[in-house]
């Protein structure tokens, strides 16, 4: 027997994310337009900011930049979620963080499948935000049972896909031919299928319960509902969108524009109205439309420590308490001003963020000799012996983007209790615990501190 030559899971992920992007470009033409705009803005930002550009080049981030995007799917059953976990594992993507969207009035809870190693993230940080429907949050019991029955009848993975997942698990990976076949089969799960599995009448009833319920229950698979490229300057992309015939929402979600970006800023535009075909009792199909898919862009900044995140949450809530964006967007400028005002309390320079322990950093030796003994990392940065760079936030902020902080959280204790219970159910359904995102950033920072200390003391001898 010949030994199988296994391709790295990073490679499988890259083949998949490229193929996904190609498909989405044909399915959602505005995505292609947006990609072109992001490309232009990124090139311009690099030209205008030599320091940023130098950092991207030095860290091999240029390659990652063009590949970088996230997608989102919503599955209907625990079994679908558990198989999704095995599918993503083939691509080196593991579940990180738990997001309880019920606090935002959305009947799902979620995780993000993503690579976690520094090297894997550098190669291709492609991530997929994955939500599981919570039928327990649908009030109408008959409707709940009907939805469960519809979901029980569908198979969202092809037999070929399931076989190749099993092969990867058995052999510890796939060879090149298997990897290509795997991506081809997996795409069947993620692509758009215009044929609904239900009648127009069933669709309408599920939609009335919640639009998301209809989107999750009525189709053959969990079509990817958006694919989001990363830009270096989200304000420039937002400003450039109307010229390209794209109308973004009135304000960018997340922190304000800053010199040192933090966490995640996102903006989106309205989904396509897609023609769909319902089944009908007579066998003939009936035409309809469905709105689920949208466009989104994001700019990523530094991952925050728990202390930084608490400050972020507080300042965001403060701005939101002062100005609520009207649905027509007419007071967007007031909101932007209130946000900027609130965030004056958040240090906007790397030294300040480090000194106050608000963000995570990756440290490395500069090569300058004679580092003072006993100095801490911040002192070594100031003395020029150590370089510090913010660690990029790789996760999501869906709940704060939904804008529910100050008003809807209600009784803190009760909320936390309910969240813990839901999270345990989610992890049981997933078949694994989700990784703690904060622990990952802290470990990355700690590893860089240890490597830097080792390098400095090797130098000292
Ligand atoms: C996912 C929403 C979460 C993001 O960027 O925060 C998300 C969904 O609507 O299915 O993608
Ligand atoms: Ni998104």
């Amino acid at each position: 027997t010949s030994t199988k030559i296994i391709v790295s899971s990073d490679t499988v992920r890259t083949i998949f994310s490229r193929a996904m992007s190609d498909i989405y470009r044909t399915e959602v033409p505005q995505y292609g337009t947006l990609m072109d705009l992001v490309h232009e803005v990124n090139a311009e930002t690099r030209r205008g900011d030599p320091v940023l550009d130098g950092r991207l080049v030095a860290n091999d981030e240029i390659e990652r930049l063009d590949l970088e995007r996230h997608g989102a799917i919503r599955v209907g059953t625990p079994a679908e979620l558990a198989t999704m976990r095995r599918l993503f594992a083939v691509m080196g993507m593991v579940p990180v963080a738990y997001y309880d969207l019920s606090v935002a009035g959305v009947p799902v809870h979620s995780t993000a499948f993503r690579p976690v190693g520094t090297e894997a993230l550098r190669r291709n940080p492609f991530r997929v935000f994955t939500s599981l429907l919570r039928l327990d949050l649908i009030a109408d019991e008959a409707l709940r049972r009907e939805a469960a029955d519809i979901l029980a009848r569908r198979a969202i993975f092809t037999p070929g896909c399931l076989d190749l997942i099993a092969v990867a698990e058995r052999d510890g990976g796939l060879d090149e031919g298997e990897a290509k076949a795997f991506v081809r089969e997996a795409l069947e799960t993620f692509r758009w299928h215009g044929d609904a599995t239900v009648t127009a009448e069933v669709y309408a009833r599920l939609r009335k319960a919640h639009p998301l319920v209809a989107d999750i229950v009525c189709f053959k698979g969990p079509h990817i509902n958006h694919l989001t490229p990363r830009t270096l300057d989200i304000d420039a992309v937002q400003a450039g969108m109307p010229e390209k015939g794209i109308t973004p929402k009135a304000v960018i979600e997340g922190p304000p524009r800053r010199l040192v970006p933090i966490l995640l800023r996102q903006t989106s535009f309205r989904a396509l109205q897609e023609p769909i075909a319902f089944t009908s009792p007579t066998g003939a199909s009936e035409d309809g439309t469905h709105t689920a898919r949208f466009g989104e862009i994001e700019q990523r900044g530094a991952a925050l420590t728990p202390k930084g995140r608490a400050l972020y949450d507080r300042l965001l809530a403060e701005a939101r308490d002062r100005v609520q964006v009207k649905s027509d967007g007419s007071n967007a400028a007031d909101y932007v001003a209130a946000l900027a005002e609130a965030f004056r309390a958040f240090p906007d320079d790397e030294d300040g963020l480090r000194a106050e322990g608000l963000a995570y950093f990756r440290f490395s030796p500069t090569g300058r000799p004679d580092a003072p003994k006993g100095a801490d990392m911040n002192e070594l940065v100031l003395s020029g012996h150590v370089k510090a760079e913010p660690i990029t936030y790789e996760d999501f902020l869906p709940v704060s983007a939904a804008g529910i902080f100050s008003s809807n959280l209600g009784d803190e204790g009760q909320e936390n209790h309910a969240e813990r219970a839901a999270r345990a159910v989610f992890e049981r359904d997933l078949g694994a615990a989700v990784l703690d995102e904060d622990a990952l950033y802290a470990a990355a920072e700690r590893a860089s501190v240890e490597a830097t200390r080792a390098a400095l003391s090797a130098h000292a001898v």
Side-chain angles (χ1 to χ4, degrees):
T1 58
S2 62
T3 0
K4 172 167 152 181
I5 300 173
I6 293 193
V7 298
S8 96
S9 55
D10 296 340
T11 304
V12 188
R13 184 170 67 258
T14 293
I15 301 173
F16 180 80
S17 78
R18 279 190 202 279
M20 200 68 250
S21 181
D22 290 345
I23 288 193
Y24 209 64
R25 208 183 266 267
T26 62
E27 290 182 348
V28 184
Q30 282 191 320
Y31 170 73
T33 310
L34 185 68
M35 287 290 284
D36 296 342
L37 177 59
V38 166
H39 207 82
E40 281 165 33
V41 167
N42 286 354
E44 201 147 306
T45 307
R46 288 178 57 195
R47 273 197 299 276
D49 188 344
V51 175
L52 173 70
D53 188 53
R55 203 175 249 192
L56 290 169
V57 172
N59 293 341
D60 277 332
E61 284 219 38
I62 298 302
E63 193 194 351
R64 153 178 173 157
L65 190 63
D66 276 340
L67 287 170
E68 180 146 4
R69 50 186 86 90
H70 81 253
I73 55 169
R74 304 153 183 165
V75 298
T77 67
E80 290 176 357
L81 180 68
T83 305
M84 234 6 131
R85 176 177 60 77
R86 295 171 56 219
L87 182 153
F88 283 123
V90 176
M91 301 190 272
M93 298 159 79
V94 296
V96 179
Y98 172 76
Y99 303 93
D100 178 9
L101 279 289
S102 72
V103 296
V106 180
V108 302
H109 49 180
S110 322
T111 189
F113 290 97
R114 69 166 176 89
V116 292
T118 301
E119 191 53 26
L121 285 165
R122 194 188 60 70
R123 292 214 181 102
N124 183 346
F126 181 63
R127 6 176 143 63
V128 178
F129 192 91
T130 303
S131 301
L132 173 65
L133 175 63
R134 284 183 66 183
L135 281 177
D136 59 303
L137 297 180
I138 307 300
D140 180 341
E141 204 194 313
L143 194 66
R144 211 154 63 205
R145 212 162 328 114
E146 188 175 8
D149 287 346
I150 296 166
L151 287 167
R153 285 196 294 271
R154 76 176 183 183
I156 66 170
F157 303 98
T158 66
C161 182
L162 295 172
D163 283 348
L164 285 161
I165 292 172
V167 167
E169 288 170 344
R170 186 194 65 202
D171 299 349
L174 301 176
D175 68 21
E176 200 182 328
E178 289 166 343
K180 287 184 177 152
F182 168 78
V183 167
R184 207 164 47 238
E185 298 284 343
L187 287 175
E188 288 309 308
T189 301
F190 292 84
R191 75 163 77 243
W192 172 249
H193 299 276
D195 297 324
T197 56
V198 300
T199 63
E201 185 268 326
V202 172
Y203 174 89
R205 271 193 288 117
L206 290 168
R207 198 178 167 89
K208 223 174 121 202
H210 197 290
L212 225 58
V213 175
D215 181 59
I216 296 171
V217 174
C218 299
F219 297 90
K220 289 179 181 162
H223 40 258
I224 197 117
N225 63 57
H226 64 285
L227 205 54
T228 302
R230 174 182 173 191
T231 174
L232 297 173
D233 185 347
I234 196 168
D235 300 279
V237 176
Q238 171 99 344
M241 277 155 82
E243 232 172 88
K244 306 263 182 189
I246 301 176
T247 313
K249 51 195 286 304
V251 300
I252 293 167
E253 299 286 353
R257 182 178 183 85
R258 294 164 42 94
L259 295 172
V260 183
I262 52 171
L263 294 176
L264 183 61
R265 300 179 71 209
Q266 296 181 315
T267 183
S268 57
F269 54 89
R270 288 257 307 179
L272 231 36
Q273 267 232 334
E274 310 191 72
I276 57 172
F278 295 111
T279 62
S280 86
T282 64
S285 74
E286 188 184 332
D287 293 341
T289 58
H290 180 66
T291 318
R293 301 200 296 169
F294 57 100
E296 185 185 57
I297 46 163
E298 66 190 10
Q299 178 173 0
R300 289 183 173 268
L304 299 184
T305 63
K307 182 182 173 196
R309 180 58 192 262
L311 180 59
Y312 168 80
D313 286 346
R314 184 166 66 75
L315 300 179
L316 186 69
E318 229 172 82
R320 287 210 158 113
D321 277 347
R322 282 185 37 208
V323 182
Q324 285 93 47
V325 184
K326 296 196 179 118
S327 54
D328 67 358
S330 56
N331 64 342
D334 296 343
Y335 176 75
V336 170
L339 193 64
E341 174 64 28
F343 273 80
R344 280 168 55 182
F346 208 118
D348 194 12
D349 63 293
E350 292 184 8
D351 290 341
L353 290 171
R354 261 196 340 272
E356 294 193 29
L358 296 171
Y360 286 111
F361 284 82
R362 182 168 284 117
F363 298 94
S364 57
T366 56
R368 180 171 172 170
D370 306 321
K373 292 224 165 50
D376 70 19
M377 281 295 131
N378 281 336
E379 289 162 345
L380 290 166
V381 171
L382 297 176
S383 66
H385 295 87
V386 167
K387 187 171 73 166
E389 293 176 309
I391 295 178
T392 301
Y393 186 63
E394 307 286 354
D395 296 292
F396 292 86
L397 301 169
V399 176
S400 66
I404 47 85
F405 269 108
S406 43
S407 45
N408 301 345
L409 276 178
D411 182 325
E412 204 38 49
Q414 227 172 331
E415 202 59 70
N416 287 343
H417 184 73
E419 163 161 340
R420 256 203 312 281
R423 179 187 176 130
V425 171
F426 184 84
E427 292 185 323
R428 185 201 65 200
D429 292 349
L430 180 68
V434 300
L435 297 183
D436 178 58
E437 67 279 28
D438 185 64
L440 292 171
Y441 298 119
E445 178 176 287
R446 208 162 45 239
S448 79
V449 169
E450 280 159 18
T452 302
R453 288 219 176 275
L456 291 181
S457 58
H459 244 266
V461 189

